[in-house]
């Protein structure tokens, strides 16, 4: 038998600790008499220091008893509850094995938290009676039911409460099954003090005796806290003093005791833990006094023993409470008293019934939001009831009444809330570009392009995929383009399409042309995003669109429960887009469907593929996928995660899910996922390399146009949801580099793929390097290679504009994505603000703001992480007085990068950023060159030949509905200068012709149009071709100049349709 011995010099301290525990056990009369059978105790083990120390001491006592008398007075059964399905929990398997090896004479069990639904059927039934999901419980897994239950909770505190109740039920039920005499918990004085004040803060002071005192019955089982007289720091010292130290198999914070970095995710328990951690070090007597005081509290029981406990948390109820009153109502005559579940249901039904006008002309609907707000505040009376005599979530300080139709739970807010579509208008070069979109292919697809004009969605026969995503993609981009420009022609197009689709909504609520049995919900996701944006921009459309959306959501909810229409992986990895629409409906237009909206979010997540699992070590593929064996095909289980467009859309999954399930671990997973994706598979322009599968970082592999616009949207959403500055930086990089390089100057043609080292753009004959795209992939045309990018590209710049300015707090406006724009909006405080930003950014780095507001407000300006310094050069009407700021007197928020300026009602601000040339390593002694937000690539010359044939891959057999516009061409673009150049990075020099108020050429992304460029010294080297494109750059030792050293020019990447963006380095002199 193994034995853990104590270090000799710690014997005195050890005796102190053991004596404390022994006395506590004896005071509770836990030892069996000599002539009695040994008692069985259940020891719940968290693998933290307290419970492990208790196990160690009890094990030592049993060994001592056996040595002295040959018998043991009690037996131990050790239980670990795996809570990883509910909270972030470190890996415990190794620590658990080590514990069993160290203390082998006891029995051990591991249970999953969801097992409580098996062990306690009555409890599971009570939970089901609260859940809107109860109708489908019999068809759902335990995990599904647990996840749904927790997803409906409104806060981190209430989620923690529920997990605690579930754990307590599970432990007690298991103890009953094993016929245990008592449950021995390892809670220290410090932990009991934290619980005491936490319960008091939550208004449940009356529950303290049952939750902290020895001897109280936990669901019929006696509970004892043998460590209650020891501080946490004493137990920690004991654990470190054993030999071997118990600390060697701890999994600290296994139950999520690390406080969240976000105040939204911080629980009351977290705050109390932080408080007592400090107090314990300097004032341990305070901790002890809290526990001693709570120990003097008595626990009176209800006189009605037949109805003495809450149906959920099983804590006893007290007499003398009439019922639950509406919050905020003081007068007895106007107070609604609820004394039964039936009263509650009746009241809620009145609250959620359709609006009716009384004989007096009074509309109850007008009061509904006020009453719902009052209902949300209803809680147990502090120091009176632990819970209610109702089947409600009585143990929660802020209950969730989701099953009863009340909007109880709330999705988490944004760090920076989006503004209504149409409130932001483009200025300067951004207006020129969006107008060119209207005049170009995006603005005319409805007129002639068969995937739109002849779509099955509109009564035609054209589609490029059984997914029927063409028109939904197009609408998702055209709505923000139409309302960003305030373009009546484009608005008319969107309304005609929406009218047709909604007029042909099927009787069961389905949107689209598919018959039952052939339906897949994925294509509805971008459609619903388009409809959401249309309601935001044009409120008159709400009466038509919102009922249709709710009908579809009701059908989708049913389909998800039945697990139909959600089989293909496209929707199961792209579901965050649908969750965004559902959260918008929930927050702004929920009607009586709040519970259904929340459950549909949860179902999409539960049946979807888990990005959080993929973003973990060992699962995420960081190497070049071409090298992975066995090869990854489109049938590989991992393929949905490594399809580049999926990867772009999936980046926002964690943030979207976190908004309704409040799992803070999803935010760290998101940061990790974005970082890994762009670090291991990102191209130098800010998009994801993937043709179509991710392709590592090889500079001769392609990145899809769909990937670029989806990357932009995901990153802009992440900055709003999470506030991390790098998301905005990365969004700008994609918008100012990856997007424009794939579009011709007139925006009538585009590429399917762009390659970082692409000195020509024409059909590649024969085998190519791409994983799954054809010879037209890098051709500029209407529909090269595949039509998805033709219909999906319109969302790029319009959504960038729509997310460029944001609401910052109650009375603030933030410039999140820097660009020329104008906004008119009313902030939550009621302040109306009109603000314009005139700038040549990103071609110049000075931004001029003019503002007019109805009251003082705060302007927040983002400082990009690449900025070496910044200045507020001029400011008028600041508060308290005009002042000049620079980076020594005004500091940006380290998380968001926002500078905060307090402004009066009108005035101007001049803001300037400073930066230098940056050379980013791309491996193998190659670099990409940046200045500010722009990537600079080698100018290899430019020759554009227009050809009349139209690249319509997969659509050539579809008759065009109208004549093809004369502007619609394919282009063959070639280089006119050598592309096989290596440069000396020490010779890089930045040049600009830009002036602070200069007007930029239109189109700004034409060859040689941007006002800035970089020069360097370079030379030609031997550099081969592989399958039609430049091979990977030669190794460093093979870079001998084969021509003279000369000056070469690098220009903004977006203006070079043929280019070399990843350059090998050499050193001259």
């Amino acid at each position: 038998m193994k034995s853990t011995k104590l270090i000799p010099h710690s014997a005195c301290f050890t005796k102190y600790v053991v004596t404390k525990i022994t006395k506590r056990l004896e005071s509770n009369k836990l030892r069996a008499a000599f002539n009695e059978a040994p008692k069985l105790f259940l020891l719940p083990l968290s693998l933290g220091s307290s419970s492990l120390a208790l196990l160690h001491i009890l094990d030592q006592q049993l060994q001592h008893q056996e040595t002295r008398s040959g018998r043991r007075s009690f037996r131990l059964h050790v239980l670990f509850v795996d809570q990883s399905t509910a909270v972030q929990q470190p890996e415990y398997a190794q620590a658990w094995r080590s514990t069993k090896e160290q203390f082998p004479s006891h029995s051990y069990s591991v249970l999953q938290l969801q097992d409580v639904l098996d062990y306690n059927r009555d409890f599971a039934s009570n939970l089901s009676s609260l859940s809107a999901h109860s109708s489908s419980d019999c068809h759902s897994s335990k995990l599904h039911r647990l996840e749904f239950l927790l997803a409906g909770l409104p806060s981190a505190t209430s989620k923690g409460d529920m997990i605690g109740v579930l754990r307590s039920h599970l432990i007690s039920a298991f103890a009953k099954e094993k016929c245990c005499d008592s449950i021995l918990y390892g809670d220290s004085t410090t932990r009991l003090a934290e619980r005491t004040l936490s319960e008091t803060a939550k208004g449940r002071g009356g529950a303290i005796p049952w939750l902290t005192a020895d001897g109280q019955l936990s669901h019929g089982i006696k509970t004892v806290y043998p460590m209650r007289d020891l501080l946490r720091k004493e137990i920690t010292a004991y654990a470190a003093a054993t030999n071997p130290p118990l600390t060697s198999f701890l999994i600290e914070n296994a139950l999520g005791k690390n406080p969240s970095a976000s105040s939204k995710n911080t629980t009351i328990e977290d705050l109390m833990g932080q408080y007592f951690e400090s107090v314990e070090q300097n004032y341990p007597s305070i901790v002890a006094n809290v526990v001693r005081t709570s120990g003097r509290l008595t626990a009176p029981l209800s006189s009605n023993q037949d109805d003495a406990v809450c149906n959920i948390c099983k804590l006893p109820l007290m007499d003398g409470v009439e019922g639950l009153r509406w919050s905020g109502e003081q007068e007895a005559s106007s107070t609604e008293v609820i004394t039964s579940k039936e009263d509650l249901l009746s009241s809620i039904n009145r609250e959620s019934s359709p609006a009716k006008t009384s004989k007096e002309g009074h509309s109850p609907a007008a009061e509904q939001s006020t009453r719902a707000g009052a209902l949300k505040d209803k809680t147990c009376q502090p120091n009176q009831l632990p819970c209610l005599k109702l089947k409600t979530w009585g143990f929660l300080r802020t209950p969730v009444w989701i099953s009863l139709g009340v909007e109880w739970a709330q999705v988490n807010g944004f760090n920076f809330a989006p503004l209504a579509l149409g409130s932001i208008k483009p200025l300067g070069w951004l207006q020129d570009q969006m107008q060119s979109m209207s005049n170009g292919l995006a603005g005319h697809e409805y007129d002639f392009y068969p995937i739109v004009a002849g779509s099955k969605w509109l009564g035609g026969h054209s589609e490029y995929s059984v997914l029927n995503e063409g028109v939904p993609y197009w609408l998702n981009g055209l709505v923000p383009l139409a309302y960003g420009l305030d373009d009546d022609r484009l608005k008319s197009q969107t309304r005609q399409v929406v009218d047709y689709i909604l007029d042909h909504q099927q009787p069961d609520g389905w949107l689209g042309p598919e018959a039952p049995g052939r339906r897949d919900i994925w294509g509805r996701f971008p459609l619903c995003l388009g409809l959401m944006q249309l309601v935001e921009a044009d409120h008159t459309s709400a009466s038509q669109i919102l009922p249709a959306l709710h009908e579809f959501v009701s059908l989708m909810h049913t389909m998800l429960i039945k697990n139909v229409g959600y089989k293909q992986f496209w929707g199961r990895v792209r579901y965050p887009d649908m969750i965004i629409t559902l959260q918008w409906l929930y927050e702004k237009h929920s009607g009586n469907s709040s519970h259904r909206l929340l459950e549909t979010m949860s179902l999409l997540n539960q049946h979807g593929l888990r990005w959080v699992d993929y973003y973990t070590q060992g699962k995420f593929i960081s190497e070049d996928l071409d090298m992975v064996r066995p090869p990854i095909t489109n049938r590989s289980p991992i393929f949905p995660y490594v399809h580049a467009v999926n990867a772009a859309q999936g980046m926002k999954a964690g943030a979207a899910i976190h908004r309704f399930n409040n799992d803070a671990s999803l935010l760290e997973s998101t940061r990790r996922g974005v970082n890994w994706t762009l670090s291991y598979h990102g191209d130098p322009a800010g998009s994801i390399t993937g043709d179509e599968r991710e392709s590592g970082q090889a500079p001769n592999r392609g990145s899809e146009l769909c990937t670029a616009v989806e990357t932009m949207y995901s990153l802009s959403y992440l900055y709003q949801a999470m506030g991390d500055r790098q998301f905005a930086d990365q969004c700008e990089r994609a918008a100012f580099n990856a997007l424009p390089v794939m579009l011709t100057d007139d925006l009538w043609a585009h590429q399917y793929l762009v390659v970082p080292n692409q000195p020509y753009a024409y059909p590649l004959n024969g085998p190519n390097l791409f994983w799954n795209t054809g010879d037209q992939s890098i051709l500029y045309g209407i529909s090269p290679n595949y039509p998805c990018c033709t219909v999906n590209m319109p969302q790029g710049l319009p959504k960038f504009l729509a997310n460029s300015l944001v609401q910052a707090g109650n009375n603030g406006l933030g410039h999140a994505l820097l660009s020329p724009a104008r906004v008119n909006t009313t902030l939550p405080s009621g302040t109306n603000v009109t603000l314009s930003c005139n700038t040549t950014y990103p071609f110049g780095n000075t931004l001029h703001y003019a503002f007019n507001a109805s009251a003082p407000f705060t302007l927040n300006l983002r400082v990009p992480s690449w900025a070496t310094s910044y200045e507020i050069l001029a400011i008028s009407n600041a508060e308290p007085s005009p002042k000049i700021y620079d980076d020594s007197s005004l500091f940006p928020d380290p998380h968001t990068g926002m500078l905060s300026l307090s402004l009066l009602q009108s005035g101007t601000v001049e803001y300037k950023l400073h930066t230098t040339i940056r050379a980013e390593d791309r491996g193998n002694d190659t670099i990409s060159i940046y200045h500010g937000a722009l990537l600079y690539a080698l100018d290899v010359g430019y020759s554009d030949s227009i050809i009349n044939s139209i690249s319509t891959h997969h659509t050539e057999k579809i008759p065009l509905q109208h004549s093809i516009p004369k502007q619609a061409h394919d282009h063959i673009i070639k280089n006119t200068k050598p592309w096989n150049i290596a440069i000396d990075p020490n010779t890089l020099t930045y040049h600009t012709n830009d002036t602070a108020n200069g007007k930029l050429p239109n189109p700004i992304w034409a060859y040689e149009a941007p006002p800035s460029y970089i020069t360097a010294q370079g030379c030609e080297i031997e550099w081969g071709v592989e399958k039609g494109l430049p091979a990977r750059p030669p190794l460093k030792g093979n870079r001998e100049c084969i021509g003279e050293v000369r000056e070469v020019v690098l220009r903004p990447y977006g203006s070079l349709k043929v280019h070399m963006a990843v350059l090998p380095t050499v050193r001259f002199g």
Side-chain angles (χ1 to χ4, degrees):
M1 178 180 294
K2 292 193 177 182
S3 177
T4 306
K5 297 185 178 180
L6 296 173
I7 300 172
H9 72 263
S10 63
C12 182
F13 173 69
T14 298
K15 183 177 180 180
Y16 161 80
V17 172
V18 172
T19 300
K20 289 274 188 180
I21 294 173
T22 302
K23 287 184 177 179
R24 179 59 59 181
L25 292 172
E26 290 175 348
S27 68
N28 282 278
K29 300 179 180 179
L30 294 181
R31 298 178 185 272
F34 185 80
N35 59 347
E36 294 178 342
K39 294 182 178 181
L40 177 62
F41 300 147
L42 181 67
L43 173 56
L45 196 69
S46 68
L47 292 172
S49 57
S50 291
S51 58
L52 277 171
L54 179 58
L55 173 60
H56 171 261
I57 292 169
L58 295 175
D59 182 78
Q60 292 284 312
Q61 286 192 357
L62 289 173
Q63 290 186 46
H64 181 67
Q65 289 178 11
E66 193 166 39
T67 300
R68 289 183 60 189
S69 62
R71 72 180 298 273
R72 299 183 175 209
S73 63
F74 61 89
R75 295 179 293 123
L76 283 181
H77 192 104
V78 183
L79 173 66
F80 180 79
V81 178
D82 180 356
Q83 301 178 190
S84 59
T85 55
V87 293
Q88 187 176 15
Q89 176 177 279
E91 174 58 44
Y92 69 87
Q94 181 58 50
W96 181 246
R97 283 193 297 270
S98 299
T99 300
K100 293 198 295 182
E101 292 171 0
Q102 194 68 41
F103 308 105
S105 59
H106 315 296
S107 54
Y108 291 83
S109 297
V110 175
L111 294 176
Q112 306 293 316
L113 186 63
Q114 59 267 29
D115 290 337
V116 68
L117 301 177
D118 287 335
Y119 272 91
N120 196 326
R121 298 289 184 178
D122 291 339
F123 176 65
S125 175
N126 289 333
L127 290 181
S128 296
S129 73
L130 295 176
S131 170
H133 191 54
S134 59
S135 62
S136 62
D137 277 350
C138 60
H139 304 295
S140 302
S141 68
K142 294 181 293 182
L143 178 59
H144 180 113
R145 292 153 64 193
L146 175 65
E147 289 177 340
F148 173 73
L149 175 66
L150 297 178
L153 300 178
S155 68
T157 295
S158 57
K159 181 179 177 181
D161 278 346
M162 174 57 93
I163 292 170
V165 168
L166 295 176
R167 185 173 184 270
S168 177
H169 271 281
L170 180 57
I171 292 170
S172 298
F174 183 80
K176 284 184 178 179
E177 181 185 72
K178 296 296 182 181
C179 299
C180 295
D181 293 274
S182 299
I183 302 173
L184 308 183
Y185 285 102
D187 297 47
S188 64
T189 298
T190 314
R191 179 72 187 99
L192 294 174
E194 291 169 4
R195 184 177 300 155
T196 297
L197 292 197
S198 293
E199 296 302 311
T200 304
K202 288 181 282 189
R204 295 202 300 266
I208 291 172
W210 288 281
L211 296 175
T212 62
D214 282 346
Q216 297 299 328
L217 297 180
S218 177
H219 314 283
I221 303 290
K222 184 178 182 179
T223 57
V224 179
Y225 300 94
M227 313 284 278
R228 66 179 300 117
D229 298 323
L230 294 165
L231 296 169
R232 180 178 290 137
K233 65 179 182 179
E234 294 173 326
I235 297 171
T236 301
Y238 177 89
T242 61
N243 185 20
L246 296 176
T247 51
S248 62
F249 34 84
L250 296 181
I251 58 165
E252 289 292 358
N253 304 311
L255 302 181
K257 294 174 185 175
N258 271 340
S260 168
S262 168
S263 60
K264 297 176 185 176
N265 301 321
T266 301
T267 67
I268 292 174
E269 285 78 7
D270 290 336
L271 295 175
M272 292 304 171
Q274 294 174 52
Y275 168 72
F276 279 109
E277 182 179 6
S278 173
V279 169
E280 185 187 55
Q281 298 303 316
N282 301 311
Y283 307 102
S285 60
I286 293 179
V287 183
N289 283 337
V290 170
V291 176
R292 279 196 294 267
T293 301
S294 67
R296 297 190 182 101
L297 298 175
T298 58
L301 295 176
S302 169
S303 59
N304 181 2
Q305 297 300 315
D306 293 331
D307 188 19
V309 296
C310 170
N311 285 330
I312 300 299
C313 66
K314 300 299 182 183
L315 291 180
L317 300 168
M318 300 178 190
D319 291 329
V321 179
E322 294 177 338
L324 189 62
R325 298 179 181 274
W326 296 100
S327 172
E329 298 186 40
Q330 304 297 326
E331 306 254 345
S333 60
S334 63
T335 300
E336 182 171 2
V337 178
I338 301 173
T339 58
S340 70
K341 181 177 181 180
E342 288 70 28
D343 291 343
L344 180 64
L345 289 169
S346 174
S347 174
I348 291 173
N349 287 335
R350 290 196 299 275
E351 288 298 314
S352 59
S353 60
K356 295 180 181 179
T357 304
S358 67
K359 294 179 181 179
E360 292 77 14
H362 172 72
S363 173
E367 296 181 357
Q368 185 167 346
S369 62
T370 303
R371 297 277 288 187
L375 185 60
K376 291 177 186 178
D377 290 333
K378 294 192 300 184
T379 59
C380 309
Q381 299 297 317
N383 302 314
Q384 293 182 357
L385 284 184
C387 351
L388 302 174
K389 291 184 181 180
L390 299 174
K391 288 187 176 180
T392 65
W393 308 69
F395 59 92
L396 298 175
R397 182 67 178 91
T398 306
V400 179
W401 298 62
I402 181 173
S403 62
L404 304 178
V406 181
E407 292 86 359
W408 221 231
Q410 296 185 13
V411 296
N412 291 310
F414 290 96
N415 272 269
F416 298 110
L419 301 178
L421 184 69
S423 62
I424 307 171
K425 305 297 183 187
L427 297 175
W429 72 263
L430 186 54
Q431 182 178 18
D432 293 342
Q433 283 296 107
M434 290 181 61
Q435 190 59 54
S436 293
M437 290 181 66
S438 175
N439 298 338
L441 179 58
H444 289 86
E445 291 181 35
Y446 182 68
D447 300 329
F448 81 97
Y449 187 56
I451 301 301
V452 178
S455 171
K456 292 180 181 179
W457 284 86
L458 305 178
H461 303 284
S462 299
E463 189 51 78
Y464 61 84
S465 163
V466 295
L467 298 173
N468 289 327
E469 64 191 13
V471 161
Y473 265 151
W474 171 84
L475 184 70
N476 182 35
L478 205 74
V479 170
L481 177 62
Y483 287 88
L485 285 173
D486 205 13
D487 187 315
D488 289 337
R489 180 178 66 86
L490 300 187
K491 289 180 184 178
S492 176
Q493 290 182 12
T494 62
R495 290 313 307 261
Q496 289 178 56
V497 169
V498 169
D499 287 347
Y500 187 94
I501 291 173
L502 299 188
D503 287 347
H504 290 80
Q505 185 170 21
Q506 298 186 34
D508 62 356
W510 182 254
L511 292 168
E514 300 88 349
R518 301 180 63 86
R519 294 172 172 174
D520 186 271
I521 62 175
W522 147 242
R524 289 5 69 173
F525 298 177
L527 174 77
C528 290
L529 285 174
L531 295 175
M532 174 189 76
Q533 293 174 95
L534 186 54
V535 173
E536 285 285 289
D538 180 3
H539 293 185
T540 65
S541 67
S543 60
Q544 177 193 23
I545 292 175
L546 292 177
L549 277 176
H550 279 289
E551 286 183 39
F552 171 70
V553 170
S554 178
L555 173 64
M556 179 171 59
H557 174 266
T558 301
M559 292 173 68
L560 290 168
I561 289 176
K562 295 179 179 179
N563 199 21
V564 297
Y566 196 45
K567 299 290 190 180
Q568 298 195 55
F569 68 72
W570 303 107
R572 294 177 64 218
V573 290
R574 299 177 177 184
Y575 60 88
D577 284 359
M578 191 67 222
I579 287 177
I580 289 171
T581 299
L582 294 172
Q583 289 173 348
W584 171 80
L585 281 171
Y586 181 85
E587 291 178 300
K588 296 188 176 183
H589 305 285
S590 62
N592 298 325
S593 301
S594 296
H595 64 288
R596 182 185 297 120
L597 291 167
L598 283 170
E599 183 167 6
T600 306
M601 297 177 212
S602 181
L603 289 168
L604 285 166
N605 178 35
Q606 290 162 10
H607 292 307
L609 300 181
R610 292 173 59 84
W611 287 99
V612 66
D613 290 342
Y614 180 62
Y615 294 149
T616 57
Q617 288 282 4
K619 292 188 178 180
F620 184 89
I621 301 178
S622 57
E623 61 264 40
D624 186 336
L625 273 71
D626 290 340
M627 301 293 105
V628 175
R629 294 293 179 270
I632 296 175
T633 71
N634 57 8
R635 295 183 181 276
S636 301
I638 202 71
F639 178 74
Y641 299 104
V642 298
H643 182 280
V645 181
N646 291 351
Q649 292 182 253
M651 288 193 295
K652 59 181 176 288
I657 297 166
H658 168 263
R659 291 199 67 216
F660 73 86
N661 79 356
N662 208 39
D663 182 353
S665 69
L666 291 173
L667 302 183
E668 286 309 309
S669 170
T670 297
R671 294 181 177 103
R672 188 167 59 245
V674 173
N675 180 40
W676 286 353
T677 299
L678 296 181
S679 295
Y680 294 114
H681 303 291
D683 75 2
S687 188
I688 300 168
T689 306
D691 47 26
E692 298 175 352
R693 192 194 66 189
E694 288 176 337
S695 308
Q697 291 191 319
N700 53 7
R701 300 299 291 272
S703 179
E704 192 178 329
L705 179 53
C706 281
T707 306
V709 296
E710 295 292 359
T711 297
M712 289 168 55
Y713 178 51
S714 288
L715 291 170
S716 64
Y717 175 85
L718 288 174
Y719 187 61
Q720 292 175 356
M722 297 173 60
D724 294 28
R725 171 164 54 178
Q726 71 264 25
F727 296 145
D729 292 344
Q730 291 160 334
C731 180
E732 286 189 4
R733 177 176 286 195
F736 300 148
N737 300 285
L739 178 62
V741 76
M742 303 183 74
L743 307 172
T744 54
D745 305 342
D746 60 2
L747 277 73
W748 269 98
H750 67 89
Q751 291 179 296
Y752 184 77
L753 295 179
V754 66
V755 177
N757 284 352
Q758 175 187 287
Y760 33 77
Y762 50 68
L764 300 174
N765 296 320
N768 62 49
L769 291 167
F770 308 136
W771 183 77
N772 187 31
T773 66
D775 60 0
Q776 292 186 350
S777 297
I778 62 172
L779 177 75
Y780 285 87
I782 289 180
S783 186
N785 189 69
Y786 202 69
C788 57
C789 293
T790 304
V791 287
N792 197 18
M793 69 169 183
Q795 71 164 303
L797 275 184
K799 284 192 178 180
F800 178 87
L801 170 73
N803 294 314
S804 61
L805 287 134
V806 293
Q807 174 191 313
N810 188 55
N811 194 44
L813 196 63
H815 203 172
L817 306 174
L818 305 180
S819 51
R822 179 182 73 255
V823 63
N824 183 279
T825 189
T826 299
L827 301 173
S829 62
T831 302
N832 180 264
V833 179
T834 299
L835 178 138
S836 63
C837 175
N838 288 284
T839 181
T840 60
Y841 185 91
F843 308 99
N845 291 325
T846 302
L847 299 92
H848 304 268
Y849 296 88
F851 58 92
N852 195 294
S854 61
F857 73 105
T858 301
L859 177 62
N860 297 273
L861 305 177
R862 191 183 114 258
V863 179
S865 56
W866 48 257
T868 56
S869 61
Y870 49 87
E871 298 174 276
I872 303 296
L873 298 175
I875 183 169
S876 64
N877 284 353
E879 188 179 8
S881 62
K883 184 177 180 180
I884 305 300
Y885 297 95
D886 59 25
D887 54 355
S888 65
S889 56
L890 184 67
F891 300 98
D893 183 279
H895 175 61
T896 65
M898 287 288 197
L899 291 171
S900 183
L901 302 175
S902 296
L903 304 177
L904 297 181
Q905 290 175 254
S906 63
T908 60
V909 174
E910 187 174 346
Y911 172 44
K912 186 170 185 177
L913 299 164
H914 300 280
T915 190
T916 59
I917 294 174
R918 308 187 312 281
E920 292 190 4
D921 178 44
R922 299 295 296 180
N924 188 28
D925 288 290
T926 64
I927 58 174
S928 291
I929 309 301
Y930 301 84
H931 188 273
L934 293 178
L935 167 67
Y936 285 75
L938 180 70
D939 181 353
V940 296
Y942 179 80
S943 173
D944 184 0
S945 301
I946 293 174
I947 56 177
N948 291 324
S949 64
I950 301 297
S951 56
T952 52
H953 185 72
H954 280 238
T955 65
E956 56 267 51
K957 296 182 181 179
I958 301 173
L960 298 175
Q961 305 299 307
H962 305 284
S963 60
I964 298 174
K966 62 181 181 180
Q967 301 96 326
H969 305 289
D970 286 356
H971 299 253
I972 290 190
I973 306 177
K974 298 180 180 180
N975 60 303
T976 60
K977 302 176 185 177
W979 57 261
N980 53 323
I981 300 293
I983 65 168
D984 183 345
N986 293 322
T987 64
L988 292 166
T989 305
Y990 179 74
H991 309 266
T992 181
N993 299 320
D994 179 50
T995 59
N997 296 304
K999 182 172 175 58
L1000 296 171
N1002 182 22
I1004 184 55
W1005 296 112
Y1007 179 60
E1008 295 186 335
S1012 57
Y1013 61 97
I1014 292 173
T1015 58
Q1017 295 295 304
C1019 69
E1020 291 183 58
I1021 61 173
E1022 290 284 358
W1023 191 341
V1025 173
E1026 181 183 5
K1027 294 184 179 180
L1029 285 169
R1032 298 191 185 208
L1035 298 177
K1036 185 176 181 181
N1038 300 326
R1039 296 175 187 172
E1040 295 294 331
C1041 291
I1042 59 173
E1044 63 181 11
V1045 175
R1046 59 184 177 85
E1047 184 177 80
V1048 296
V1049 177
L1050 293 82
R1051 301 188 186 278
Y1053 183 72
S1055 68
L1056 300 178
K1057 311 313 172 189
V1058 290
H1059 49 257
M1060 297 292 287
V1062 178
L1063 299 173
T1065 60
V1066 292
R1067 294 291 188 269
F1068 301 133

